[in-house]
Amino acid sequence: MTGPDCLFCKIAAGDVPATLVHADAQVVAFRDINPQAPVHVLVVPRKHVSSLDEARGADDSLLGGMLLVARDIARREGLADRGYRTVLNVGDEGGQTVHHIHLHVLGGRAMGWPPG
Ligand code: AMP
Ligand code: ZN
């Protein structure tokens, strides 16, 4: 599923509403519709890449940029000192349900380990 059929492409294009917390030329970030923690934000590239497994070497700066945006959001949300979690689910057993790569930023409560 790509482009016009992809939910996160639609959100990045502004065609589906979301609560944006960040937008730049490469990346948007918005609040998860079904939050699993007091802060739960998804960092999503504007470019459609279906999963980490589909990412290419040339996507390296895009992937690094997603991490730095996650870091900045965590700071802005007041999570940096207490800690937080970033999660990138990949494929069926990884729990990926939306097939457009996205980085979860979760915080505001203590996280368990191992994850379920
Ligand atoms: P994953 O299971 O890693 O693919 O994560 C997909 C995430 O997208 C889930 O946490 C969903 O709650 C979230 N989600 C699905 N639809 C929307 C939406 N329209 N707006 C915001 N978040 C969404
Ligand atoms: Zn997409």
Side-chain angles (χ1 to χ4, degrees), residues 11 20 23 31 33 37 43-44 51 54 61 79 82 91 96 101:
I11 289 176
L20 290 183
R31 298 203 187 277
I33 204 167
V43 179
V44 175
S51 81
E54 296 294 321
S61 66
L79 301 176
R82 54 194 300 195
Q96 185 177 3
I101 194 169

Side-chain angles (χ1 to χ4, degrees), residues 19 37-38 45-46 56 67 69 72-73 75-76 78 83 90 98 105 116:
T19 305
R46 292 185 185 276
R56 310 273 173 92
L67 280 170
V69 166
D72 290 345
I73 289 167
R75 285 182 179 167
R76 214 164 57 230
V90 182
V98 176
V105 181

